[in-house]
Amino acid sequence: MKPEKVTILGAGSWGMAVARLLHLNGWSVTLWEFDRDEFEKLRRWRGHPDKLQGFVLPEGITFSHDAAEAAEDCSLAVLAIPSQFLRSVLRTFRLHLDTKALLVNLAKGIETRTLMRMSEVITDELHVPVRRVVTLSGPSHAEEVILDIPTAVVAAGTYDEIATQVQETFSSRSFRVYKSDDLIGVELGGSLKNIIAIATGISDGLGLGDNTRGAIITRGLAEITRLGVVMGARAETFAGLSGIGDLVTTCASHHSRNRYVGEKIGQGQSLKDILAGMSMVAEGVETTRSGHDLARLHNVEMPITKEVYAVLFEGKSPHAAVEELMVRQLKTEIWR
């Protein structure tokens, strides 16, 4: 049975795009915004001047700034919160969400302090069984979803009946949802690809070519798969929508905030100045910390992640990072 009321926590570009999608699919949608000023903009313009400019959300979508009001009668909560803020938002809603509500995570990241994936953060903070959590991931820029440009994603969960319900709730004529039971692989693929997108952006910012970009994407996929398998994912998941699909899209798209960050760094700007000038979150910056720590924790070789970390947080020059990757010990190519 499909949910009667859907509450979306987070009114960024992705939250707004999904609110419209679910509204057009026939559900009663409430869109919650934490920040009072941002909420007022949302209520005044039924959109946001800096996010998905020019789009007005349908009249049937309700906006809320109050957690109790937003969560009332909610049978499905969509978590459109940046990964490093998800825990604090869940803490706000813990007393208000129905204990039987289904939870759909849209965030693509790994919590830096705990190195938890998002489903782990959700179950840890809300004390709910993991079978009630589904992560939706894949190549899905909000700027295209809101235009009804054909998009395909994957809904990953440990309980098939709930994953099927989420699949049916989100699917439309322009938004196709597949299923997966590899929750670990889908979450890691969606998160770690942002590190590789930063690397691709650095390459573009340096003025390097298509050969370099192709090498970064391919070898980036290899190191993501390597870590994923060690952490319990299936290798074939990374050949799917949440792996190579999302990776290629994020590394090539002008919509990608992570590729943008890398490009500006390659052009000589500082990370601090780049982030200060952005109105939306580039998840890959903090995920680079998490990915670097996970590689060390599991003793997995991730050379691109290591060099991106050194550029972002240790002051290494992008040129030196590229050279470091090129002069590493020669190897036989394996796909992971």
Side-chain angles (χ1 to χ4, degrees), residues 31-220:
L31 183 58
W32 175 83
E33 169 58 52
F34 167 77
D35 185 270
R36 168 61 72 175
D37 292 338
E38 296 293 292
F39 168 72
E40 292 298 337
K41 291 178 184 177
L42 188 66
R43 187 171 64 172
R44 185 179 309 121
W45 290 303
R46 299 199 67 81
H48 197 287
D50 300 321
K51 304 169 186 175
L52 303 179
Q53 295 179 5
F55 287 97
V56 177
L57 293 174
E59 288 294 331
I61 296 173
T62 301
F63 306 129
S64 179
H65 177 62
D66 181 84
E69 176 189 65
E72 186 177 5
D73 298 325
C74 166
S75 56
L76 190 151
V78 179
L79 311 176
I81 304 293
S83 58
Q84 305 309 319
F85 301 101
L86 179 59
R87 185 180 293 275
S88 62
V89 170
L90 292 174
R91 197 161 291 168
T92 298
F93 274 84
R94 185 164 52 193
L95 298 178
H96 305 298
L97 281 172
D98 189 306
T99 56
K100 296 181 180 179
L102 303 186
L103 303 157
V104 177
N105 165 60
L106 304 182
K108 297 176 179 179
I110 299 163
E111 192 173 51
T112 52
R113 180 177 60 84
T114 64
L115 300 184
M116 285 182 175
R117 293 175 288 105
M118 293 299 96
S119 61
E120 294 176 309
V121 172
I122 294 166
T123 57
D124 181 57
E125 194 61 40
L126 296 183
H127 308 297
V128 297
V130 70
R131 66 182 179 84
R132 279 179 39 207
V133 180
V134 172
T135 284
L136 201 68
S137 191
S140 49
H141 289 303
E143 294 85 352
E144 296 188 1
V145 171
I146 206 163
L147 288 172
D148 295 324
I149 291 174
T151 299
V153 299
V154 59
T158 62
Y159 190 58
D160 184 69
E161 183 177 334
I162 290 176
T164 299
Q165 180 174 330
V166 171
Q167 180 183 41
E168 294 174 350
T169 297
F170 280 80
S171 291
S172 73
R173 294 176 65 88
S174 62
F175 197 81
R176 182 173 175 82
V177 183
Y178 291 83
K179 284 192 305 180
S180 171
D181 61 1
D182 186 4
L183 183 59
I184 297 173
V186 167
E187 290 189 326
L188 288 177
S191 302
L192 298 171
K193 55 88 182 177
N194 285 328
I195 305 172
I196 309 305
I198 292 175
T200 304
I202 291 174
S203 170
D204 291 344
L206 290 172
L208 305 179
D210 295 337
N211 293 352
T212 312
R213 186 184 304 112
I216 291 171
I217 292 172
T218 306
R219 297 313 303 167

Side-chain angles (χ1 to χ4, degrees), residues 218-279:
T218 306
R219 297 313 303 167
L221 179 63
E223 66 181 60
I224 290 172
T225 305
R226 223 166 20 237
L227 178 63
V229 169
V230 168
M231 291 181 64
R234 294 196 301 270
E236 59 266 29
T237 297
F238 300 100
L241 287 166
S242 63
I244 194 169
D246 207 0
L247 176 64
V248 170
T249 301
T250 307
C251 288
S253 175
H254 66 280
H255 294 309
S256 171
R257 305 165 204 168
N258 297 288
R259 196 204 66 81
Y260 171 85
V261 168
E263 182 178 30
K264 294 304 178 184
I265 286 174
Q267 293 171 353
Q269 295 188 28
S270 72
L271 179 61
K272 180 180 179 181
D273 289 343
I274 296 165
L275 297 181
M278 296 177 67
S279 61

